[in-house]
Amino acid sequence: GIQVEQSPPDLILQEGANSTLRCNFSDSVNNLQWFHQNPWGQLINLFYIPSGTKQNGRLSATTVATERYSLLYISSSQTTDSGVYFCAVDNFGNEKLTFGTGTRLTIIP
Amino acid sequence: EPEVTQTPSHQVTQMGQEVILRCVPISNHLYFYWYRQILGQKVEFLVSFYNNEISEKSEIFDDQFSVERPDGSNFTLKIRSTKLEDSAMYFCASRWREGGTEAFFGQGTRLTVV
């Protein structure tokens, strides 16, 4: 099946800093989503982005499908951005999402 | 905005007991899923469901698990005889068609088996 790797596994930043999270995948994808898992365990849908670039406030994401990676940018980090960020993909003929192992982001005041 | 809702948010059960986790997918969606996340690990696929039958299941989804869409709105996951290792966060998801469309996730049910 498709492999999904995320880097870095852990990231600790001061409040106000910017961050870039990366998601690499091993095959062509039909769908790519970014999620934020908050401290209560809920998965918050950030972006549906199988290709191209999207922005939502301080967050933006870019997927370069031909090179099999996606990037999530967080600018001017706030403590509420802390948590685990997952990317998840599915590929053609395979409808289930395969999740990466996540990046744990900790924002220090 | 339409959303997937799950109940309960947290359930504690004795080992060996049966549990039913409930989900209400988005109303015009046709494909339904359960995923599981053991504490500290990544989210894993359990089962997909379409047209009133299982379309795919993982090796985790053994005979202790079953899914059902008993009416036009609910989608349930049943664990017949819970084990300690079933303790996890369970997520329901739905999408209006298969692959290539956004999957919407519920807020999860935290199952604790004691």
Side-chain angles (χ1 to χ4, degrees):
Chain A
I2 192 167
Q3 305 298 312
V4 183
E5 295 181 359
Q6 292 186 242
S7 59
D10 292 281
L11 188 57
I12 302 174
L13 297 171
Q14 290 284 150
E15 198 168 22
N18 301 328
S19 57
T20 301
L21 284 57
R22 187 176 180 103
C23 172
N24 291 333
F25 39 93
S26 61
D27 203 349
S28 301
V29 298
N30 210 17
N31 175 21
L32 188 145
Q33 294 181 234
W34 281 98
F35 298 90
H36 175 213
Q37 187 164 41
N38 64 21
W40 297 271
Q42 298 171 333
L43 282 176
I44 309 301
N45 200 355
L46 298 177
F47 292 103
Y48 165 67
I49 187 165
S51 63
T53 298
K54 289 187 177 178
Q55 179 154 10
N56 184 2
R58 296 181 296 103
L59 274 61
S60 64
T62 295
T63 297
V64 184
T66 52
E67 296 187 22
R68 300 182 184 171
Y69 73 89
S70 183
L71 301 173
L72 177 68
Y73 305 97
I74 305 173
S75 64
S76 305
S77 300
Q78 301 174 357
T79 55
T80 51
D81 294 330
S82 294
V84 183
Y85 290 80
F86 290 101
C87 71
V89 303
D90 69 47
N91 55 348
F92 298 95
N94 188 355
E95 63 179 281
K96 65 178 184 285
L97 284 175
T98 299
F99 281 74
T101 50
T103 292
R104 180 174 299 278
L105 177 65
T106 304
I107 304 298
I108 301 170
Chain B
E1 184 176 313
E3 59 180 16
V4 176
T5 57
Q6 291 185 242
T7 54
S9 56
H10 191 190
Q11 180 153 1
V12 181
T13 189
Q14 295 258 335
M15 190 169 55
Q17 294 296 303
E18 174 183 287
V19 296
I20 297 176
L21 310 183
R22 291 184 164 81
C23 169
V24 179
I26 294 173
S27 62
N28 65 339
H29 285 186
L30 302 177
Y31 292 81
F32 313 111
Y33 308 84
W34 284 100
Y35 291 81
R36 182 183 82 173
Q37 184 186 31
I38 294 171
L39 185 64
Q41 299 186 19
K42 66 177 182 178
V43 179
E44 301 174 288
F45 167 78
L46 286 179
V47 65
S48 58
F49 192 85
Y50 168 71
N51 200 26
N52 272 327
E53 60 183 27
I54 291 173
S55 48
E56 186 177 355
K57 59 184 180 180
S58 72
E59 61 275 10
I60 302 168
F61 194 88
D62 61 21
D63 291 345
Q64 292 297 313
F65 292 90
S66 63
V67 289
E68 192 178 32
R69 189 155 160 81
D71 52 40
S73 59
N74 291 286
F75 178 50
T76 62
L77 174 69
K78 183 193 292 186
I79 310 174
R80 286 190 187 78
S81 178
T82 49
K83 300 182 271 241
L84 294 176
E85 54 264 38
D86 293 326
S87 295
M89 192 77 153
Y90 289 82
F91 294 101
C92 172
S94 71
R95 64 207 310 183
W96 76 272
R97 65 174 175 85
E98 65 183 327
T101 59
E102 185 174 4
F104 292 81
F105 280 73
Q107 75 277 24
T109 292
R110 186 174 300 282
L111 177 65
T112 303
V113 182
V114 297

